[in-house]
Amino acid sequence: MSGMAELEHFCGYGGRHVNTVRYHPLRYETLIYSAAAAIIIEDVNDPHKQEFLKGHDNEVSAIDVSLNGKLVASGQMGSLCRKGAVAPVIVWDFENRQRFMEFNGLSHSVLCVNFSPDGRFLVGTGANQMIYVWDVSTGETVYSRRTESPCFLAVWGPMIEAPSGGRYPSYQLCTTYDSLVLVHQMSFDIRSMCYTLSSDAVQFPPSGLQRKHICGLVRDNLLITGTAAGDMCIFSLTGKVFRAALPVCNNGVASLTQAGDVLYVAGGDGRVKALRGHDMHWDSLAENVLESGVVALTASGDGAELVAGTRNGKLWRLLSSDLTATLQAATHTDEVTDIAFGISNDVVCTASRAGEVFLLDLSDYVPRMSILGKTPARTVVMTKTSGEILVGHDDGFLRCWPAGGGASSPTWELQAHRGGITAVRETLDYIATGGNDCSVRFWHRTTRELLATFTNHRKPVADLLVDEGSPHLVHSGSEDKLVVTYDLKANKPLVQHFTQHSNITGLSQRRDREREVVSSSLDGKILFWDVDFADPTGCIDSPGGTVLRLRCCEVSPSGRYIAVGSEDANLYIYDLATCSCIQECHGHSSGVTQVRWSPDQKQIVTAGKDAASSSGTSLSCEPCCVMRAVHG
């Protein structure tokens, strides 16, 4: 069975970083945006057409595309694997979809990258208060300086052709540091045979203007910036003087873009405005308010459409004429904690630590239904018969929602555990829950009365499994190295399996042989358990002799294969007939925490988590990957 799975779709735009969405300047239907540590190249009219640029080891925090469309630059958050939290800037060859060059010197986080108009030079700024100008053609550093404060905005002005048709044009570069605005002239020095920079500060009114400039662009010899105060500042580059400050939105101006003679402004209050004017006089042409603050706004090359990225992880397409918005994509804003299929192959349910629950349509990857809870959602199940979604939360409540959507509150809720709920399973007769309080509880399916409680585990329950051959048997696993089987007819634990070294993280079940329970563990072993034997009846070790920390597992619907997710960010697929690893799938940038097969075995959906912070370690959003199984 060669080539069993290939990556089909990557869902992961989290809306965490400013201006990480870009239209390709020449290919009007091609969108380039960040998703965790990857860069996605996507056809806006066909979400199934995705390509990926992978080379970063932490979240991508800045993106730019050269005006000729040949190069893409991306910067990341500080690396967790390399000393000094270095944040490299990678330049990609767009046509060949491969790395072209890498620049170093920035650390903790790349705040801004921007190509010169001819694509020869690239400016980059970082949270370590460094600014660099690199020559992309040679890889040399043209200019570097430590600034007084982090530079959030660096934008190129128009090129100035060399006199008498010389080979070396001059460039204009504008940078901002808190309330300071500088205009740099980058000219070629014949004596030193290299480019040098001279700088002038923009003159402000005597009363001063204290603003933090977040975004900006140069237009008609004017520098136009968006500030954290919510106004748009105009500077004359000819006179190097401040001209005006115009209030346009609340919660800061996050992004500016232009198409033709129209300027589009996006704010942290979700407001998108179309403006036309010059210097101190601007007229509003259209306005729309999206449901969350805008962090990115980009115009298509033909000026017909805009795409806006919002803080709640959504991408919106807007008509540039009247700013009418339609939803393009929606993703979770925090770690995806669980995945569940129902009876349909085209719909999957996902839950996140932000409390979001999405019912995703796999035909276009747009949610059919979305729920936003007040507490993190840890586990989710789609019922096979009643058309409901059961969600377990960190507050210990189990909540039931109709899969059809439209409900503003759950159908019912149940206080199931003192701590958070870590696992939930259901049958026609009962609901089983496992929690952080180390207990496993069973509830009547219709009356929701407590039927039984078992406290065999000494650590939180990692997973639950209803036995497919005998539904009155339920299995639980935990990192306390126990796999316990409960007999609901006898109302007691039937058998308690113990392993010396295997901390159990996930459970599944074989469809053949004796229908053994299968477990994944942190020591890299896939163990097989039979209720008639205390010790494991089989074991599959990690491939290649390496010790993998496995986080999840699931046997395919046919019973032939098992997919396991590892903390090394890979998904491994084993053939249970030969007990050998037949494929290693790459998709995530960090540990795979959940894996599910679609009922028809044609797709695998995985979820992961990523550690990203410029000053410490915290969990952040990691996308879902959809892999298509290819049977040969």
Side-chain angles (χ1 to χ4, degrees):
M1 187 170 191
S2 59
M4 180 178 179
E6 56 187 18
L7 184 60
E8 177 177 296
H9 195 81
F10 206 70
C11 307
Y13 175 72
R16 291 172 52 84
H17 302 286
V18 176
N19 291 322
T20 52
V21 181
R22 291 280 190 266
Y23 257 114
H24 191 276
L26 303 180
R27 301 184 180 182
Y28 304 154
E29 297 178 350
T30 300
L31 193 66
I32 303 169
Y33 62 94
S34 66
I39 299 167
I40 296 179
I41 302 171
E42 181 178 304
D43 187 327
V44 293
N45 296 320
D46 187 356
H48 294 278
K49 292 182 180 180
Q50 279 190 338
E51 295 178 90
F52 313 98
L53 301 178
K54 294 184 180 180
H56 292 286
D57 60 5
N58 207 343
E59 290 188 17
V60 175
S61 56
I63 285 180
D64 193 37
V65 184
S66 63
L67 290 180
N68 59 16
K70 294 181 178 180
L71 299 174
V72 176
S74 58
Q76 67 170 66
M77 302 287 286
S79 173
L80 299 172
C81 309
R82 299 163 64 180
K83 185 177 180 180
V86 297
V89 172
I90 300 177
V91 178
W92 307 87
D93 181 343
F94 178 80
E95 293 298 330
N96 297 313
R97 308 292 197 265
Q98 64 185 14
R99 184 195 301 246
F100 177 72
M101 193 171 292
E102 180 176 321
F103 296 110
N104 295 292
L106 304 179
S107 60
H108 301 300
S109 176
V110 176
L111 302 177
C112 172
V113 289
N114 206 311
F115 281 105
S116 62
D118 60 356
R120 177 178 175 181
F121 296 101
L122 177 69
V123 60
T125 67
N128 60 341
Q129 299 177 209
M130 290 296 297
I131 177 172
Y132 282 87
V133 177
W134 298 289
D135 189 329
V136 179
S137 62
T138 64
E140 297 176 350
T141 299
V142 177
Y143 175 79
S144 65
R145 176 175 173 261
R146 182 175 293 277
T147 58
E148 294 76 15
S149 59
C151 174
F152 289 91
L153 173 61
V155 59
W156 297 90
M159 293 172 53
I160 304 170
E161 294 299 327
S164 304
R167 295 171 50 195
Y168 303 103
S170 298
Y171 300 82
Q172 195 174 55
L173 177 64
C174 305
T175 58
T176 63
Y177 315 92
D178 288 337
S179 58
L180 182 65
V181 178
L182 297 177
V183 179
H184 312 272
Q185 192 78 15
M186 194 172 81
S187 305
F188 190 79
D189 186 358
I190 298 295
R191 290 169 298 181
S192 61
M193 293 301 293
C194 64
Y195 274 93
T196 59
L197 262 76
S198 59
S199 305
D200 294 299
V202 169
Q203 299 299 312
F204 283 91
S207 58
L209 184 72
Q210 298 297 320
R211 293 290 188 271
K212 179 181 177 182
H213 303 272
I214 300 173
C215 58
L217 53 83
V218 173
R219 165 183 168 143
D220 299 330
N221 266 334
L222 296 175
L223 170 64
I224 304 174
T225 68
T227 72
D231 50 18
M232 185 176 74
C233 291
I234 315 294
F235 302 91
S236 169
L237 295 182
T238 304
K240 297 181 178 62
V241 63
F242 167 78
R243 295 290 294 161
L246 310 173
V248 290
C249 63
N250 297 319
N251 297 332
V253 177
S255 188
L256 292 169
T257 191
Q258 61 181 341
D261 63 344
V262 180
L263 180 68
Y264 297 94
V265 184
D269 57 356
R271 197 175 304 274
V272 180
K273 283 187 174 182
L275 306 174
R276 179 183 287 129
H278 181 74
D279 199 9
M280 301 174 63
H281 306 285
W282 296 84
D283 297 320
S284 178
L285 305 178
E287 181 177 329
N288 196 356
V289 180
L290 303 180
E291 61 186 39
S292 183
V294 181
V295 293
L297 186 67
T298 180
S300 61
D302 59 0
E305 287 190 338
L306 307 168
V307 168
T310 55
R311 290 194 183 278
N312 63 351
K314 294 184 178 181
L315 293 173
W316 299 84
R317 292 175 71 177
L318 298 91
L319 291 176
S320 56
S321 57
D322 59 4
L323 299 183
T324 301
T326 56
L327 183 63
Q328 171 73 10
T331 58
H332 291 288
T333 58
D334 212 327
E335 176 194 343
V336 179
T337 53
D338 202 7
I339 305 166
F341 274 97
I343 58 175
S344 173
N345 301 306
D346 301 322
V347 179
V348 65
C349 188
T350 59
S352 81
R353 202 177 65 158
E356 304 151 332
V357 178
F358 289 165
L359 194 63
L360 286 175
D361 189 330
L362 293 180
S363 63
D364 56 9
Y365 305 104
V366 173
R368 292 185 180 179
M369 181 193 74
S370 60
I371 303 165
L372 181 58
K374 296 181 179 179
T375 60
R378 288 294 172 185
T379 179
V380 63
V381 164
M382 293 183 67
T383 62
K384 299 292 193 297
T385 55
S386 58
E388 296 173 324
I389 298 174
L390 304 181
V391 186
H393 291 266
D394 269 6
D395 60 1
F397 275 87
L398 179 67
R399 296 181 172 92
C400 175
W401 298 84
S408 58
S409 59
T411 306
W412 53 262
E413 61 180 16
L414 172 69
Q415 177 75 58
H417 292 269
R418 291 191 301 273
I421 299 176
T422 56
V424 59
R425 299 292 179 263
E426 64 90 32
T427 69
L428 292 174
D429 300 316
Y430 62 84
I431 299 172
T433 60
N436 277 325
D437 56 6
C438 309
S439 65
V440 176
R441 291 177 175 163
F442 295 89
W443 311 84
H444 194 278
R445 188 65 180 83
T446 54
T447 65
R448 294 181 289 283
E449 295 179 357
L450 181 63
L451 302 176
T453 298
F454 300 101
T455 56
N456 296 68
H457 291 291
R458 301 183 302 276
K459 287 188 177 182
V461 178
D463 204 357
L464 290 174
L465 174 71
V466 177
D467 194 278
E468 294 189 3
S470 305
H472 64 281
L473 299 181
V474 176
H475 315 278
S476 67
S478 169
E479 288 191 26
D480 61 3
K481 305 175 184 178
L482 292 178
V483 175
V484 184
T485 300
Y486 312 94
D487 188 336
L488 292 185
K489 288 184 178 179
N491 197 27
K492 68 176 184 179
L494 183 62
V495 63
Q496 182 169 293
H497 304 286
F498 175 75
T499 64
Q500 194 68 32
H501 305 289
S502 300
N503 304 80
I504 307 300
T505 56
L507 296 177
S508 190
Q509 189 173 12
R510 297 192 68 149
R511 271 69 169 172
D512 56 0
R513 299 189 1 171
E514 299 298 322
R515 292 184 177 266
E516 297 102 323
V517 174
V518 186
S519 67
S520 59
S521 57
L522 295 180
D523 63 354
K525 295 182 183 296
I526 302 173
L527 300 176
F528 299 85
W529 306 92
D530 192 308
V531 294
D532 297 326
F533 301 92
D535 296 326
T537 58
C539 174
I540 300 177
D541 287 314
S542 301
T546 58
V547 178
L548 302 174
R549 292 174 63 85
L550 304 181
R551 278 292 176 187
C552 54
C553 67
E554 184 165 75
V555 175
S556 65
S558 69
R560 174 73 184 273
Y561 308 98
I562 182 171
V564 295
S566 170
E567 285 191 358
D568 69 351
N570 293 327
L571 178 74
Y572 297 88
I573 300 177
Y574 293 82
D575 188 335
L576 289 177
T578 61
C579 293
S580 60
C581 181
I582 60 173
Q583 190 170 0
E584 180 179 328
C585 305
H586 309 279
H588 292 280
S589 60
S590 61
V592 178
T593 57
Q594 193 57 271
V595 56
R596 292 286 183 259
W597 294 81
S598 62
D600 61 2
Q601 198 173 298
K602 291 183 178 180
Q603 289 181 312
I604 307 170
V605 182
T606 62
K609 64 182 180 180
D610 206 357
S613 176
S614 58
S615 59
T617 300
S618 64
L619 291 180
S620 66
C621 175
E622 170 70 13
C624 291
C625 287
V626 180
M627 299 182 182
R628 182 172 295 278
V630 181
H631 303 278

